């Protein structure tokens, strides 16, 4: 019978494939050959090889591994020699002279000289002068905010940089030095405009001076780096590095447990907890260089067809009172699973040198909040609703971007707490790009039709970018709230120009004090970075900075070059000397991990399902032998 | 033998008697099918849950009022475990019934209304109207409805404005209802149209036309009652499809985080890594409910179809 | 099959495609929000100029339609340079544009890279489901009332009621997490150097099993129910009763009469079903980290990448149109009633 033969053939093939599929994991080890490969997992897109288009941590990591910046970052994020061996400022601080490392070669063997540095930095100057957007425009600000004016090479080993004003930012430029002999043939449009017909994607084989360079890739799937034979320093134990994209942190964690990947970045708190008790896996909680925030619309002028729904938001006493009704510790516990720090000022504690906690931090105290509201003139009406000074009941809209789903929980809590104060909160999620447009102030052509919103900021090696957000210049740019304070603006300028660290710290401390007092935002928490890695292949994992950082996805490629081959080391078990915020603890009692019993139940259920389907299949195959009895037609009419 | 007097009231009474007998026949035939009865019972149970969730499990637990620890496995209490915010799964699943069923119901109403309207008008009027309407219907049948749904959601949200409640249902859910309605009406329209076409040719319609009845009157009084059986059977299946579609849309992230429909809970479970953590109690209760409800609707719908439309041919 | 039939069907398909191209454009432009803001993100240094530049690059600063309404005479303004014209012209020449979120890749490239994995996954899944489902349905339809009928039908109904991703999550939990038999993500082990093509094939196979099983299981339920009711109906036809009365053996009746006739509506419905399979594609691919069209669609939506979304949408719709056309032809070939 035609159909049954076909069916049987297909079934046999399927069964065969199934059998092979089962045999494969046993027969073939996951790591092939004797190459030592470091496999790193991320849930961010891997579509960018041209550094100018970098946006995400993953994009930055891709170019960090391959290229040197002019000055690098050491184990405590202090400046160390990279492309430049040494440097010195002039007496007035307006000219810097960098000595380029001699004998350095690009991965294709060409000599790496001052000309490459000059070309790279000049590209930024040209783009700024011609007002061309260079890729994503994330990299040029590192040079422009350091006041870059001109660059030149007096000889192949001497790089001279002129700046508009004295400042230390020139040593923290996160811009990769690119090979002039490859890149200089392209126009600004070709390297900066992804829509250009002849856009230069910088596809492999990539030429860089770093320890590894990209040898092959599949867009949005993986990027494969191989050892750079011409690297000037000590390369790490890994022969290859593979950066692999995962659709979700869940598949990533699974892969880590199944030894399909060695390092993962960006996992959930529950997964982090579960991994703590996994043998051979170490978890690390890194302080984040950034924070989640709740912003208030305090734009001081009325906006037709838009603006905040109540003038109360412009009153600092009102905002201050509201901030007393936010329980930061509860949010850290519930939303982050405990992996975070309660929020205070606009400089995250990650910046250990600059962070200054407020002298009188607010506590979570509903009674205090109510008292302050009453004292400020916001009284309750007969129905228990809080009225503003125009005698309108206060209803605050709250929104957050759809890309940050956990903010919904924060909103739920805020709604509850502020509800106790008599303030109604209307909470709804908004698509990311709609939110961007929604927030625009009149200076940027928008109507700022919002009251409060939740989002986050990520920082740079230097806190300047985070401090600058609240200046008057940024209104129409990143300053959505409309906050304008001449004192703050002046301090922002001063702190960049301060060359003495103690001076600078004092200025930044004052900025934090003003900011906290004026309650422009409330910062619920500084979320931690949650990473995990296997300890059975590589040793030498080193957190950067050692007290609060993670090994990879930090500044520079130090985490990669520090790795050693565990198999080649002495047989003593590697006890990682670095602290990190966690150790492999014993399983938490009553915690969230599945016990063996649960797994058995699932297994039993699974076997039952498979059994049923198998029975059906077998019976089908035996169908041919029996003749057919007449079937009863029970179609009633 | 005396001729019985025919009065309006006696005609009405006679009609009611016929209807009652028809209903009894139907009930009898329906009850003979075991799967139909099982399906009906399941649906009744869920309807009760949907109407009175507080009675069974108390008020909905939010992140703020959660009683349990993170991801507690099922035990004596909580019987179905908790999710990552400590909310009781039994509580959330039962409350989710109302939302999932409400969305399903509303979406079905929208779908059936549009579909029946288009189907009857198209089938009855015929000619160019029919051609145009069928072109539009075919078009909607061809569009990948899921991608269309993904695209329509932000557009409609933009039009109606976010963060507002209508009849106690949040706007984001109304958007889902509209989206499902827009993407599902075409198959109903097709079915109704082909039935209308066959009814149109029957003699009683010709007679009505001969007597001078207008198109609208004929559509209302003659065609509509005769497609009702078909619509009912179809509507039940549409309901099942609507629940499934809502689940998938919520799973992809278009749901409302404040309303724990089953799809939304599954989405949270997926995002939170439930399968990888072994926290099967996070997604099994809503998953099981979805399967049960859709199964029940399918069984009932299939049985209704068999009983009400005994000679239905599955032709194009 | 008459020329008129073929011609009519093809013409109808072409009109539908033309409409699709039109609607495609309008739909995605109606989406609110600004893709240039997503692409640029929020970072110190990103200014209004950056957005303006990006908009210009993507042609978003041009008027959308060829004609715009203005508030003063002549009340209508003709825009020779507009996004609509650009879109139509490029689509007709096969150029689907450059994706906003692809960092330089063209839409055709991105879709091309994603289409292979999706076809592989769904092609295999559909094939298995068709054979197994139709066979199961035929058997249970033939042997109504037996134990296999109840069990098979019951299992089919349950599977039919489950969303695909739920099946996927369960498979992942059982076979990948708990038993560790299969890898948990992706299509291949990344960056691996394989000793031989056979190794590569085996690696691919091991990644393929769970996703294909998920798709197949999800579809088997549908197809078997379909086939079952179709067979039951066919068996009630007069010619089957006649054949039995004439003394023909049951197997022969099944093979020569009932089965081919029952196949007809099943085939048609399978073709039409392809449109709905797309919904499953997206969710299954998300669960298994499968680098196909589904994953691409979800990401494109998040990034408001119009060109990419338009390209995918067009591709899928046209595929369904062709599938329906194919079903029409098969139907026309198989069903003698249509040939006149």
């Amino acid at each position: 019978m035609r159909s049954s033969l076909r069916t049987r053939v297909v079934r046999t093939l399927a069964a065969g494939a199934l059998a092979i599929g089962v045999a494969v994991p046993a027969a073939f080890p996951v790591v092939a050959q004797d190459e030592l490969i470091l496999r790193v997992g991320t849930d961010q897109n891997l579509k960018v090889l041209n550094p100018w288009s970098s946006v995400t941590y993953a994009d930055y990591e891709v170019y960090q591994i391959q290229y040197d910046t002019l000055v690098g970052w050491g184990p405590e994020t202090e400046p160390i020699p990279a492309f430049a061996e040494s440097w010195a400022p002039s007496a007035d601080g307006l000219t810097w002279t960098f000595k380029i490392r001699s004998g350095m070669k690009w991965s294709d063997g060409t000599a790496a000289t001052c000309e490459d540095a000059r070309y790279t930095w000049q590209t930024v100057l040209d783009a700024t002068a011609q007002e061309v957007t260079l890729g994503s425009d994330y990299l040029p600000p590192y040079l422009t905010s350091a006041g870059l004016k001109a660059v030149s090479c007096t000889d192949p080993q001497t790089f001279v940089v002129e700046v508009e004003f004295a400042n230390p930012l020139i040593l923290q430029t996160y811009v990769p030095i690119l090979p002039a002999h490859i890149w200089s043939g392209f126009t600004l449009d070709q390297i900066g405009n992804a829509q250009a017909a002849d856009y230069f994607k910088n596809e492999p084989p990539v030429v860089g001076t770093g320890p590894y360079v990209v040898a092959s890739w599949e867009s949005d799937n993986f990027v494969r780096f191989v050892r750079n034979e011409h690297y000037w320093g000590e390369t790490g134990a890994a022969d290859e590095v593979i950066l692999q994209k995962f659709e979700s942190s869940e598949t990533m964690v699974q892969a880590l447990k199944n030894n399909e990947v060695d390092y993962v970045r960006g996992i959930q708190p529950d997964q982090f907890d579960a991994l703590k008790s996994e043998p051979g896996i170490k978890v690390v909680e890194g302080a984040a260089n950034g924070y989640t925030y709740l912003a208030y619309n305090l734009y001081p002028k009325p906006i037709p067809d838009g603006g905040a729904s109540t003038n109360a938001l412009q009153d600092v006493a009102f905002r201050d009172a509201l901030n007393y009704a936010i329980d930061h510790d509860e949010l850290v516990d519930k939303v982050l699973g405990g992996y975070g720090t309660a929020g205070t000022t606009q400089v995250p504690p990650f910046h250990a040198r600059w962070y200054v906690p407020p002298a009188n931090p607010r506590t979570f105290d509903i009674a205090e909040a109510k008292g302050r509201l009453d004292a400020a003139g916001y009284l309750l009406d007969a129905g228990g609703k809080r009225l503003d000074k125009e005698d309108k009941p206060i209803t605050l809209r709250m929104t957050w971007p759809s890309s940050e789903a956990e903010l919904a929980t924060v909103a739920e809590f805020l709604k509850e707490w502020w509800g106790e104060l008599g303030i109604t909160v209307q909470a709804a999620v908004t698509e990311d790009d709609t939110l961007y447009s929604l927030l625009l102030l009149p200076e940027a052509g928008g109507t700022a039709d919002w009251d409060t919103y939740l989002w986050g900021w990520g920082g740079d090696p230097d806190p300047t970018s985070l401090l600058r957000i609240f200046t008057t210049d940024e209104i129409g740019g990143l300053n959505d709230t409309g906050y304008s304070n001449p004192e703050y603006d002046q301090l922002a300028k001063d702190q960049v120009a301060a060359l003495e660290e103690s001076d600078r710290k004092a200025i930044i401390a004052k900025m934090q004090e003003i900011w906290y007092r004026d309650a422009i935002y409330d910062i619920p928490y500084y979320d931690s970075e949650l990473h995990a890695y296997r300890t059975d292949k590589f040793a030498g994992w080193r957190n950067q900075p050692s007290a609060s950082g993670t090994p990879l996805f930090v500044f520079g490629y130090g985490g990669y070059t520090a790795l050693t081959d565990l198999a080649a080391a002495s047989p003593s078990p590697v006890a990682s000397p670095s602290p990190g915020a966690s150790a492999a603890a014993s399983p938490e009692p009553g915690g969230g991990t599945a016990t063996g019993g649960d797994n058995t139940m699932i297994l039993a259920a699974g076997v039952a399902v498979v059994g049923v389907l198998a029975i059906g299949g077998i019976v089908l195959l035996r169908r041919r032998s029996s003749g057919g009895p007449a079937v009863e037609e029970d179609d009633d009419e | 033998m005396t001729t019985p007097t025919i009065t309006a009231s006696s005609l009405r009474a006679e009609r009611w008697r016929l209807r009652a007998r028809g209903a009894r026949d139907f009930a009898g035939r329906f009850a003979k099918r075991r799967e139909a009865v099982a399906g009906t019972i399941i649906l009744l149970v869920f309807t009760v849950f949907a109407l009175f969730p507080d009675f069974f499990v108390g008020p909905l637990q939010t992140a703020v009022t959660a009683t349990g620890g993170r991801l507690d496995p099922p035990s004596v209490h909580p019987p179905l475990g908790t999710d990552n915010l400590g909310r009781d799964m039994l509580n959330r699943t039962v409350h989710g019934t109302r939302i999932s069923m409400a969305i399903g119901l509303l979406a079905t109403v929208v779908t059936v209304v549009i579909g029946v309207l288009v189907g009857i008008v198209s089938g009855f009027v015929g000619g160019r109207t029919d051609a145009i309407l069928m072109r539009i219907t075919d078009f909607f049948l061809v569009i990948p409805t899921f991608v269309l749904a993904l695209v329509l959601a932000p557009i409609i949200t933009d039009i109606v404005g976010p963060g507002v409640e209508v009849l106690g249902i949040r706007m984001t859910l109304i958007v889902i209802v509209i989206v499902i309605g827009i993407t599902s009406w075409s198959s109903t329209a097709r079915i109704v149209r082909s039935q209308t076409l066959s009814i149109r040719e029957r003699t009683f319609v010709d007679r009505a036309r001969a007597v001078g009845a207008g198109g609208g009157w004929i559509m209302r009084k003659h065609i509509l009652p005769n497609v009702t059986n078909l619509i009912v059977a179809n509507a039940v299946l549409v309901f099942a499809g609507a629940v499934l579609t809502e689940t998938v849309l919520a799973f992809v992230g278009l749901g409302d985080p404040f309303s724990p429909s089953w799809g939304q809970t599954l989405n949270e479970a997926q995002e939170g890594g439930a399968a990888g953590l072994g926290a099967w109690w996070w997604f099994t209760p809503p998953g099981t409910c979805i399967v049960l409800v859709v199964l029940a609707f399918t069984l009932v719908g299939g049985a209704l179809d068999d009983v009400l439309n005994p000679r239905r041919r599955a032709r194009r | 099959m008459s020329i008129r039939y073929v011609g009519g069907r093809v013409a109808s398909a072409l009109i539908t495609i033309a409409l699709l191209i039109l609607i495609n454009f309008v739909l995605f432009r109606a989406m609110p929000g600004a893709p240039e803001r997503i692409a640029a993100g929020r970072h110190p240094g990103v200014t209004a100029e950056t957005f303006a530049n990006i908009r210009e690059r993507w042609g978003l600063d041009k008027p959308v339609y060829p004609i715009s309404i203005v508030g003063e005479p002549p009340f209508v303004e003709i825009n020779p340079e507009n996004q609509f014209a650009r879109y139509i012209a490029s689509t007709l020449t096969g150029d689907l544009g450059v994706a906003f979120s692809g960092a330089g890749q063209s839409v055709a490239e991105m879709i091309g890279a994603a289409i292979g994995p999706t076809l592989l996954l769904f092609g295999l899944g559909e094939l298995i489901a068709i054979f197994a489902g139709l066979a199961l349905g035929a058997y249970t339809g033939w042997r109504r009332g037996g134990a296999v009928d109840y069990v098979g039908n019951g299992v089919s109904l349950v599977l039919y009621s489950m969303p695909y991703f739920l099946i996927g999550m369960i498979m992942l939990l059982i076979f990948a997490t708990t038993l560790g038999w299969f890898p948990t993500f992706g299509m291949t082990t990344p960056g691996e150097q394989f000793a031989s093509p056979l190794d590569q094939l085996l690696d691919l196979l091991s990644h393929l099993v769970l996703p294909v099983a998920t798709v197949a299981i999800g579809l088997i339920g549908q197809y078997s129910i379909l086939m079952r009711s179709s067979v039951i109906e066919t068996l009630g036809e007069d010619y089957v009763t006649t054949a039995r009365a004439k003394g023909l053996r049951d197997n022969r009746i099944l093979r020569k009469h009932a089965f081919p006739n029952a196949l007809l509506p099943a085939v048609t419905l399978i073709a039409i079903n392809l449109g709905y399979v797309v919904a499953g594609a997206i969710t299954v691919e998300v669960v298994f980290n499968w680098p196909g069209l589904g994953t691409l669609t979800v990401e494109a939506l998040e990034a408001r990448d119009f060109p990419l979304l338009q390209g995918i949408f067009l591709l899928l719709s046209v595929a369904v149109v062709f599938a329906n056309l194919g079903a029409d032809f098969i139907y026309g070939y198989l069903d003698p009633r249509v040939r006149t």
Side-chain angles (χ1 to χ4, degrees), chain C residues 293-315:
Chain C
L293 278 182
T295 322
L296 196 64
T297 310
V298 172
E299 283 173 7
L301 193 71
E302 257 178 43
R304 291 286 188 275
D305 191 336
F306 295 154
L308 190 53
L309 282 171
Q310 277 166 203
I312 296 176
F313 195 76
L314 195 62
L315 177 73

Side-chain angles (χ1 to χ4, degrees), chain A residues 39-392:
Chain A
R39 300 156 304 179
V40 179
T42 172
D43 58 356
Q44 295 186 320
N45 292 339
L46 292 175
K47 297 184 187 178
V48 170
L49 287 183
N50 179 333
W52 299 114
S53 297
S54 302
V55 170
T56 63
Y57 272 87
D59 299 333
Y60 276 64
E61 196 74 348
V62 165
Y63 80 69
Q64 282 201 113
I65 298 176
Q66 307 182 80
Y67 297 103
D68 281 298
T69 50
L70 188 65
V71 175
W73 283 273
E76 303 299 334
T77 67
E78 76 280 14
I80 56 166
F83 201 80
E85 249 177 350
S86 63
W87 49 86
S90 64
D92 58 3
L94 295 178
T95 309
W96 287 79
T97 311
F98 294 86
K99 275 270 171 276
I100 304 298
R101 189 180 300 278
S102 56
M104 193 165 46
K105 287 208 170 80
W106 292 99
S107 55
D108 62 354
T110 320
T113 66
C114 169
E115 175 55 25
D116 301 301
R118 193 208 62 80
Y119 159 74
T120 309
W121 287 35
Q122 185 62 42
T123 305
V124 172
L125 286 172
D126 292 339
T128 315
Q130 298 170 31
E131 289 187 347
V132 168
T133 303
L134 202 53
S136 63
D137 244 1
Y138 272 42
L139 298 185
Y142 292 111
L143 297 181
T144 52
S145 54
L148 185 66
K149 196 164 78 173
V151 292
S152 56
C153 286
T154 53
D155 65 56
Q157 253 51 56
T158 311
F159 183 46
V160 177
V161 171
E162 290 170 51
V163 292
E164 307 269 5
F165 50 89
N167 72 85
L169 295 179
I170 206 74
L171 294 181
Q172 311 236 22
T173 55
Y174 215 166
V175 178
I177 303 298
L178 302 170
H181 66 283
I182 305 268
W183 289 72
S184 58
F186 296 97
T187 65
L188 275 181
D189 194 54
Q190 283 169 315
I191 61 174
N193 179 3
Q195 307 288 312
D198 39 6
Y199 175 63
F200 177 53
K201 295 189 206 154
N202 195 27
E203 286 181 308
V206 174
V207 175
T209 50
Y212 301 93
V213 285
V214 176
S216 65
W217 78 311
E218 221 176 85
S219 176
D220 222 17
N221 190 4
F222 69 86
V223 181
R224 186 170 142 260
F225 305 79
V226 295
R227 195 193 289 281
N228 174 6
E229 304 299 339
H230 293 285
Y231 175 58
W232 52 266
E234 279 259 347
T235 106
D239 298 307
E240 282 184 25
V241 177
I242 296 177
L243 193 53
Q244 170 73 34
K245 169 170 172 191
F246 290 83
E247 282 313 315
S248 66
S249 58
E250 192 200 322
T251 44
M252 205 159 61
V253 167
Q254 270 322 299
L256 185 71
K257 290 206 278 205
N258 291 358
N259 200 7
E260 292 164 22
V261 80
D262 300 304
Y263 187 100
V264 295
R265 169 191 176 262
I267 60 183
Q268 309 284 345
D270 298 300
Q271 296 161 336
F272 193 80
D273 281 331
L275 284 175
K276 276 188 195 161
S277 48
E278 282 282 322
I281 292 184
K282 187 161 157 66
V283 293
V284 55
E285 179 187 353
N289 185 0
Y291 53 78
T292 296
Y293 66 86
L294 170 80
Y296 294 106
N297 186 351
L298 44 96
Y299 191 73
K301 297 177 267 201
I303 306 176
D305 288 332
S309 66
T310 171
N311 288 334
L313 286 168
Q314 292 170 33
D315 182 358
V316 60
F318 179 71
R319 301 194 301 269
D320 179 61
L322 246 47
N323 284 0
Y324 272 92
I326 301 179
D327 189 348
H328 299 134
D329 294 317
E330 175 88 348
L331 288 174
V332 168
D333 190 42
K334 282 291 165 67
V335 180
L336 300 181
Y339 295 113
T341 321
T344 45
T345 74
Q346 79 275 41
V347 178
F350 171 87
H351 295 274
R353 280 186 281 170
W354 315 109
Y355 171 68
V356 173
N360 297 316
R362 300 185 187 98
T363 53
F364 174 60
D365 192 339
I366 297 279
E368 175 76 26
K370 284 184 183 167
R372 284 180 182 246
L373 282 173
D374 289 333
Y378 300 98
L379 306 166
L380 291 172
D381 70 2
K385 296 247 167 286
R386 189 73 56 176
L387 299 174
D388 64 10
K389 299 209 171 130
E390 283 84 19
D391 278 335
K392 267 186 345 186

Side-chain angles (χ1 to χ4, degrees), chain A residues 556-627:
Chain A
Y557 48 70
Y560 295 89
T561 51
L563 294 176
T564 57
D565 186 353
L566 190 60
S570 54
S572 58
V574 179
S576 220
S578 57
S582 61
S586 47
E588 314 260 303
T593 57
T595 61
D598 301 307
N599 284 347
T600 318
M601 225 196 305
I602 307 163
L603 197 52
V607 168
V609 170
V610 170
V612 166
L613 290 174
I615 290 174
I618 295 172
V619 173
L620 254 163
L621 287 174
R622 281 191 12 222
R623 154 161 72 92
R624 288 201 342 139
S625 49
S626 42

Side-chain angles (χ1 to χ4, degrees), chain A residues 250 254 270 334 337 412 416 427, chain B residues 62-63 70 85 170 270 275-276:
Chain A
E250 192 200 322
Q254 270 322 299
D270 298 300
K334 282 291 165 67
E412 211 174 317
E416 185 89 5
Chain B
T62 62
R70 280 182 96 97
L85 289 174
R170 292 174 57 88
Q270 165 77 358

Side-chain angles (χ1 to χ4, degrees), chain B:
Chain B
M1 187 166 60
T2 51
T3 25
T5 339
I6 300 180
T7 61
S9 58
S10 71
L11 268 178
R12 257 204 301 274
E14 182 61 32
R15 224 183 295 157
W16 275 113
R17 252 197 304 275
L18 279 169
R19 283 213 186 111
R21 198 175 67 188
R24 267 205 312 273
D25 272 342
F26 163 78
R29 270 186 271 162
F30 190 78
K32 252 200 257 169
R33 291 154 192 273
R34 272 179 291 171
E35 69 270 13
V37 174
T40 317
I41 293 180
I42 294 179
L43 287 179
L44 277 175
V45 169
F46 276 106
T47 311
V48 169
F49 279 155
L51 290 173
F52 310 109
D54 287 20
F55 177 73
F56 290 97
V57 291
L60 175 63
Q61 278 187 17
T62 62
V64 185
T65 58
T67 53
R70 280 182 96 97
L71 291 181
D72 285 337
S75 61
V76 174
H77 174 80
L80 283 182
T82 62
D83 67 1
N84 67 332
L85 289 174
R87 298 177 290 202
D88 182 42
M89 279 313 297
L90 182 63
N91 178 288
R92 279 186 86 72
T93 310
V94 170
H95 276 273
T97 313
R98 163 183 293 192
I99 298 169
S100 296
M101 302 282 266
I103 295 182
L105 183 66
L106 288 174
T108 305
V109 167
V110 172
T111 304
V112 168
V113 163
I114 302 180
V116 166
L117 216 61
V118 171
I120 289 188
V121 167
S122 177
F124 185 75
V125 173
R128 235 177 333 173
T129 319
D130 180 29
I132 295 178
L133 282 176
M134 274 303 106
R135 167 80 40 224
I136 298 179
T137 311
D138 279 344
F139 187 75
F140 271 91
L141 271 176
V142 152
I143 292 183
T145 53
F146 190 62
V147 180
L148 183 65
L150 288 181
V151 170
L152 277 180
I155 296 179
I156 296 182
T157 311
D158 198 48
I159 296 176
V160 299
V164 173
E165 279 194 20
V166 166
L167 299 174
I169 303 183
R170 292 174 57 88
M171 214 52 201
T172 38
L173 299 177
I174 300 281
V175 168
I176 304 264
V177 165
I178 297 177
V179 164
I180 298 179
I182 292 182
T183 54
S184 316
W185 63 268
S186 35
S187 42
T188 306
R190 283 211 129 224
I191 297 175
V192 170
R193 173 180 174 271
S194 51
Q195 180 78 342
T196 308
L197 280 177
S198 71
I199 295 178
R200 185 173 73 163
E201 304 314 318
R202 298 224 207 129
T203 38
F204 66 83
V205 172
D206 278 341
R207 277 198 217 125
R209 250 201 279 248
V211 176
W217 196 90
I218 297 183
M219 282 196 262
R220 253 197 344 268
K221 282 278 191 238
H222 290 287
I223 305 208
L224 189 55
N226 283 297
V227 297
T228 306
N229 285 347
L230 197 68
I231 296 175
V232 165
N234 180 255
V236 173
L237 291 173
V238 166
F239 204 132
V243 171
L244 266 180
T245 308
E246 186 272 326
T247 304
V248 178
L249 287 177
F251 181 71
V252 173
L254 288 173
D256 180 16
F258 289 116
S259 305
S261 74
W262 294 327
Q264 180 62 27
T265 310
L266 284 174
N267 168 263
E268 286 163 13
Q270 165 77 358
E271 302 261 319
L277 290 170
W280 55 271
W281 57 89
W282 198 352
F283 63 85
T284 311
T288 312
C289 287
I290 293 173
V291 172
L292 279 176
V293 167
V294 173
L295 188 63
F297 273 122
T298 311
L299 289 175
V300 170
L304 274 179
D305 206 26
D306 277 345
V307 172
L308 292 175
N309 311 304
R311 259 196 282 250
R312 180 185 66 89
R313 287 277 179 261
R315 297 286 185 241
R316 281 158 48 88

Side-chain angles (χ1 to χ4, degrees), chain A residues 382-405:
Chain A
K385 296 247 167 286
R386 189 73 56 176
L387 299 174
D388 64 10
K389 299 209 171 130
E390 283 84 19
D391 278 335
K392 267 186 345 186
I394 302 177
T395 303
L396 295 178
R397 294 165 293 177
M398 187 178 294
T399 186
W400 62 94
S402 54
S403 58
E404 312 275 335

Side-chain angles (χ1 to χ4, degrees), chain A residues 416-446:
Chain A
E416 185 89 5
W417 291 324
W418 288 359
E420 292 183 51
L421 302 176
I423 295 177
T424 315
V425 171
Q426 275 177 351
V429 68
T430 312
E431 298 281 324
D432 283 46
D433 55 335
T434 314
L435 188 55
Y436 283 129
S437 312
L438 188 73
L439 299 175
L440 294 178
L441 290 174
E443 282 80 348

